[in-house]
Amino acid sequence: MLWWRSVPARDRVFAGCTGCGHLSTWCHSRYARHLSDVTLAGRPLHIDLSVRRLYCENTSCPKVTFAEQVPGLTVRYQRRTPQLQHLLEDVGVVLAGRGGSRMLRILNIRLSRVAVLSQLMRVPLPPLVTPQVLGVDDFALYGGSYGTLLVNATTRLPLTLWEGRDAEQLGRWLREHPGVEVACRDGSLTYRQGITSGAPEAVQVSDRFHLWQGLSRRVQDIASAHRGCLPAALPPTGESNSAPGEESVENTTADTRAERHARRLFEAVQALTRSGRSHSSVARELGLNRRTVSKYARARTWQEVMRRPPRKFSALDPYLDYLQQRWDEGQHSAKVLHEELQTKGYLGHYQRVKMAVAPLRRGLPLDEPRERPPSPREAARWIMTHPHRRSPHINDRLPRLLDHCPELRTAHDLVRRFAAMLDNRDGTHLPEWLDDLAITGLAPLTGLARALREDRDAVAKGITTPYNSGVNEGRITDVKLQKRIMAGRAGVRLLRHRVVLIAHLRRRYADQSSVRP
């Protein structure tokens, strides 16, 4: 530990009164101040400073005496130098309590996590300037509760956040901070009402990302409703080759314990559901999960429940012919077969080879990979992807799927028309597109058309103007990061403090680095 003792300050040096600012040299007494400074060569540094207490010579000043302050070294009511205090505050902003305490311990500065949080909460927030372009979005706070985040879309800095996403609180904030000209938001009715009540003259912009995301979810709902059409995307050769194999594996007798159990459950579920019982009632009576009951109720035979999904491709597939050849030649040792495959370039594990030859020991053929039908999410992603960015795999299967399912064809055509409007920032065809969306007869799309018509002006602004909520999404990602750093236990006040201060801290250091040569 290093100590630095100062010589007494000269008596004739003027010092300003902390009450009125009047200069004085009339010394009342002296006292020693003990200050902590940043470490020197990794060792704590403490300063003993002899300072004066002076009389204020201004008779109208309420202060009789005051203590002199050394610029850059002392601050009123503080036993740390400004440099050390700024370090503590920055560490608290970046790492919060426990992480900040650990980092300070590495720097040989002893401070508890509670003290770090206390220093952090003492830092004043930057003055809030009403933005011309405001971004509003919600984020998950705890469990089922949500919060609201406001961002200055021009400076890309967060303004404030609070718990809840009600229209009244947003409208009250806008009335207290007049001057917002453009408000970017998602399609939430709550935020629409809050902006309308708090800033009725502001132009509302429905974010294009949320518009595209909402359309994508509706397409996925359509694909889920037409799940039976999805296998049509597979190549015809795969269908003709896989069907006989599937039929040959199925049999009417249940040989294994799992097959006998599946057959008993299938018969019990089918008997109860045919009598008109609901899936929840059947699940309670049989002691099963409702999803399990739904799976057995949808199946046509008990073999469908037992059928394993098509296996994905693996690193062993190029060597299956060699395995079959060596097995026919009489080599039935998985260890020897694995060693032989290693000489041919196979890098996989022995267990994979052992599992691959297991069907051969039971007199069954090798389990060859079969392509799976696309899931509803995959089919929706195929439709939403721009044609120029689709892979050859998608270009081969998507036309086959659209030819087989007219509903997905309709959804695909509407998606491409909406994408053209977004690319060209042209909203002239929006009313016509909404009319076509409403007459498709598909419930997800008609519901979307009804919601977009209620917010048509904001949707048109989202298509034609450059304003969007991209800044909000980036700041919400930062909010989630700060929550994880604090293990999700931070209160709203602490979370607001850190989110706002850390954004300004990053901006300050970025500006300093850009100025340096």
Side-chain angles (χ1 to χ4, degrees):
M1 185 178 299
L2 301 178
W3 293 86
W4 182 79
R5 297 183 181 274
S6 71
V7 296
R10 291 181 298 176
D11 293 338
R12 302 307 300 174
V13 175
F14 287 94
C17 175
T18 57
C20 64
H22 187 78
L23 298 179
S24 175
T25 59
W26 186 6
C27 182
H28 171 275
S29 60
R30 290 183 178 273
Y31 73 99
R33 292 192 64 173
H34 308 285
L35 304 173
S36 297
D37 199 2
V38 294
T39 56
L40 179 63
R43 302 176 65 182
L45 178 60
H46 297 274
I47 301 173
D48 286 346
L49 182 64
S50 176
V51 296
R52 298 174 297 170
R53 177 169 291 278
L54 303 103
Y55 289 103
C56 181
E57 301 179 16
N58 184 6
T59 57
S60 61
C61 180
K63 284 185 173 293
V64 179
T65 63
F66 64 92
E68 71 170 330
Q69 303 297 329
V70 181
L73 189 61
T74 62
V75 181
R76 295 180 66 191
Y77 309 118
Q78 187 166 291
R79 301 183 64 179
R80 302 186 186 95
T81 62
Q83 187 177 4
L84 177 59
Q85 183 64 24
H86 292 331
L87 175 63
L88 299 181
E89 294 172 355
D90 291 350
V91 170
V93 168
V94 175
L95 298 176
R98 198 179 300 274
S101 178
R102 291 170 179 169
M103 174 57 70
L104 292 173
R105 195 177 301 121
I106 295 175
L107 300 176
N108 214 350
I109 301 173
R110 301 294 174 175
L111 207 64
S112 67
R113 62 181 181 87
V114 178
V116 174
L117 291 178
S118 176
Q119 297 301 318
L120 166 62
M121 298 306 296
R122 288 175 55 188
V123 181
L125 292 176
L128 197 152
V129 179
T130 303
Q132 293 182 344
V133 182
L134 176 68
V136 185
D137 209 344
D138 61 345
F139 63 95
L141 192 57
Y142 316 107
S145 63
Y146 290 81
T148 298
L149 176 67
L150 303 185
V151 181
N152 187 333
T154 305
T155 62
R156 312 178 73 88
L157 292 174
L159 298 173
T160 185
L161 61 86
W162 60 73
E163 184 175 2
R165 47 181 179 181
D166 54 316
E168 181 181 355
Q169 191 168 4
L170 177 59
R172 183 169 59 252
W173 189 93
L174 289 172
R175 286 189 292 271
E176 294 173 354
H177 303 84
V180 176
E181 300 178 0
V182 179
C184 302
R185 55 168 176 80
D186 56 11
S188 170
L189 176 62
T190 300
Y191 291 148
R192 187 198 317 170
Q193 295 174 345
I195 296 172
T196 303
S197 63
E201 70 285 351
V203 176
Q204 299 189 36
V205 178
S206 185
D207 179 51
R208 65 186 64 191
F209 166 76
H210 290 93
L211 294 174
W212 187 256
Q213 186 182 50
L215 180 59
S216 175
R217 289 174 179 171
R218 301 315 191 280
V219 173
Q220 183 175 340
D221 293 340
I222 296 173
S224 299
H226 296 82
R227 190 185 296 267
C229 299
L230 299 182
L234 301 179
T237 56
E239 294 175 356
S240 61
N241 291 342
S242 61
E246 293 176 358
E247 294 176 358
S248 62
V249 174
E250 295 180 1
N251 54 71
T252 57
T253 61
D255 299 330
T256 65
R257 179 186 297 180
E259 292 173 348
R260 290 192 295 270
H261 177 70
R263 185 169 185 173
R264 285 196 300 268
L265 284 183
F266 174 78
E267 294 172 352
V269 170
Q270 290 290 332
L272 292 174
T273 53
R274 288 196 193 100
S275 63
R277 301 275 295 275
S278 65
H279 291 180
S280 300
S281 175
V282 174
R284 285 193 298 269
E285 179 172 339
L286 299 180
L288 300 175
N289 187 282
R290 187 180 180 279
R291 294 183 179 180
T292 304
V293 173
S294 301
K295 180 178 67 173
Y296 278 90
R298 289 194 306 265
R300 292 171 297 179
T301 62
W302 65 268
Q303 289 91 346
E304 290 185 13
V305 183
M306 289 296 298
R307 183 183 301 159
R308 294 167 55 191
R311 181 174 65 81
K312 294 183 178 181
F313 289 90
S314 70
L316 186 61
D317 293 339
Y319 306 96
L320 292 181
D321 294 338
Y322 179 78
L323 284 179
Q324 184 68 52
Q325 175 187 348
R326 294 292 292 139
W327 187 271
D328 296 339
E329 294 174 356
Q331 181 54 261
H332 297 173
S333 173
K335 182 176 180 60
V336 175
L337 292 174
H338 178 253
E339 293 175 352
E340 294 179 1
L341 292 180
Q342 284 183 322
T343 61
K344 293 183 172 293
Y346 175 64
L347 303 177
H349 197 269
Y350 157 75
Q351 288 292 338
R352 187 177 293 274
V353 179
K354 180 181 177 181
M355 294 174 60
V357 299
L360 297 176
R361 300 186 188 281
R362 300 193 300 269
L364 300 175
L366 287 172
D367 186 13
E368 297 184 355
R370 292 171 291 163
E371 185 177 359
R372 300 184 180 186
S375 65
R377 179 177 295 182
E378 289 176 328
R381 186 171 66 249
W382 291 359
I383 293 174
M384 302 301 294
T385 303
H386 194 279
H388 294 164
R389 301 183 62 182
R390 293 170 184 166
S391 64
H393 175 84
I394 298 177
N395 288 329
D396 176 59
R397 286 154 178 76
L398 181 58
R400 194 179 297 113
L401 175 60
L402 299 181
D403 293 340
H404 183 270
C405 185
E407 291 80 5
L408 290 179
R409 167 68 72 179
T410 302
H412 175 269
D413 295 340
L414 290 170
V415 166
R416 297 271 53 88
R417 289 170 56 187
F418 187 72
M421 286 190 287
L422 290 179
D423 292 340
N424 300 327
R425 291 187 179 177
D426 183 9
T428 55
H429 300 289
L430 179 62
E432 178 185 352
W433 183 79
L434 290 176
D435 294 338
D436 294 342
L437 203 67
I439 63 176
T440 56
L442 302 174
L445 295 185
T446 56
L448 178 63
R450 187 165 51 252
L452 294 182
R453 276 175 174 168
E454 295 176 357
D455 198 22
R456 178 183 297 183
D457 294 338
V459 172
K461 294 296 183 183
I463 295 175
T464 58
T465 63
Y467 303 114
N468 59 77
S469 298
V471 179
N472 299 49
E473 298 299 331
R475 289 303 173 188
I476 287 176
T477 302
D478 193 40
V479 171
K480 296 176 182 178
L481 173 62
Q482 307 313 321
K483 284 176 54 183
R484 293 190 186 101
I485 290 177
M486 295 181 287
R489 295 179 292 182
V492 176
R493 182 166 171 261
L494 175 59
L495 185 62
R496 180 193 307 116
H497 230 71
R498 291 200 61 231
V499 168
V500 175
L501 290 177
I502 199 170
H504 285 79
L505 181 66
R506 291 169 179 162
R507 178 66 58 84
R508 189 177 73 209
Y509 280 108
D511 294 342
Q512 291 176 359
S513 61
S514 62
V515 172
R516 293 175 183 174

